[in-house]
Amino acid sequence: AEPHQWHPMPCIIREVLRAPEAPLPVENLMEAALSYHNLSQYDAAQKTYAAAREVWREEESYAREDYVDMKREEDSAYDPENDDFLDKPLVPPRAEIFLLCSIGSVYESAGDDEMALSCYMEARQTAMSALDHHDPDVAVAYSHIGSVCFHLGRYALAHRCFSVAVSVREVALGK
């Protein structure tokens, strides 16, 4: 009998995400979501990450209402329409990218690669529109897209995504 011949098989290692600073209720939800994910309770994890995103928006909306009230007390001529501070997104872009990639990772763990890809593409769009194109968070989005493309058998696209991620990191962080 012929000896078994070993054929190398690539192994995809997922990105490790660091949670952004967030309002305490959001931090608690993100921690709970991660626990659900680690326990393979994917539906609960996805819903809890989505709840964290919504609570963050609510917290920021309340904070902005307080800000506008304070500004009006300070200056009766204050016009919120002309205040650039209020034009910022309710959830900071890096936090939005984290939440989208986390939700996508839950879908990927659950075997729903198409939903994961949708989340990762939205994270990429957020990164590309809000950050410098050589920001490391852009690389994170591309790496996640590459991972799910690999699992979907789209190897050429996965390779391109991983190559972009490496290139962005080399520019941002050096070789």
Side-chain angles (χ1 to χ4, degrees):
E2 301 250 342
H4 178 72
Q5 192 169 8
W6 181 74
H7 295 281
M9 180 65 175
C11 175
I12 303 300
I13 300 172
R14 289 192 193 170
E15 290 282 339
V16 175
L17 302 174
R18 181 179 176 273
E21 287 187 32
L24 185 58
V26 175
E27 285 183 2
N28 292 338
L29 286 166
M30 290 189 301
E31 189 174 330
L34 179 60
S35 293
Y36 286 134
H37 189 177
N38 289 337
L39 293 169
S40 301
Q41 296 178 5
Y42 303 126
D43 190 51
Q46 184 276 327
K47 287 178 181 174
T48 306
Y49 276 124
R53 198 174 177 197
E54 188 55 37
V55 168
W56 198 322
R57 287 183 179 130
E58 290 171 5
E59 292 273 327
E60 185 59 26
S61 290
Y62 296 141
R64 288 183 188 193
E65 288 173 14
D66 291 344
Y67 169 83
V68 168
D69 290 344
M70 180 193 72
K71 288 297 222 179
R72 284 189 172 140
E73 286 176 13
E74 291 174 0
D75 180 5
S76 60
Y78 171 75
D79 181 8
E81 296 295 321
N82 296 324
D83 191 338
D84 292 339
F85 175 77
L86 299 173
D87 291 336
K88 295 187 314 183
L90 292 173
V91 177
R94 291 182 196 287
E96 186 74 18
I97 294 163
F98 169 83
L99 289 165
L100 288 166
C101 287
S102 295
I103 293 168
S105 183
V106 170
Y107 282 124
E108 193 172 354
S109 294
D112 192 345
D113 289 336
E114 293 297 333
M115 283 300 295
L117 185 58
S118 175
C119 291
Y120 297 154
M121 293 299 288
E122 189 177 345
R124 179 199 159 279
Q125 182 60 39
T126 300
M128 296 298 285
S129 64
L131 305 174
D132 179 82
H133 290 191
H134 297 293
D135 188 286
D137 281 342
V138 172
V140 168
Y142 274 103
S143 182
H144 276 85
I145 293 167
S147 174
V148 80
C149 286
F150 179 84
H151 291 116
L152 289 169
R154 299 176 190 164
Y155 303 117
L157 184 55
H159 182 266
R160 278 195 2 233
C161 290
F162 289 134
S163 294
V164 169
V166 167
S167 160
V168 167
R169 285 191 170 114
E170 285 176 345
V171 169
L173 307 171
K175 288 189 177 192

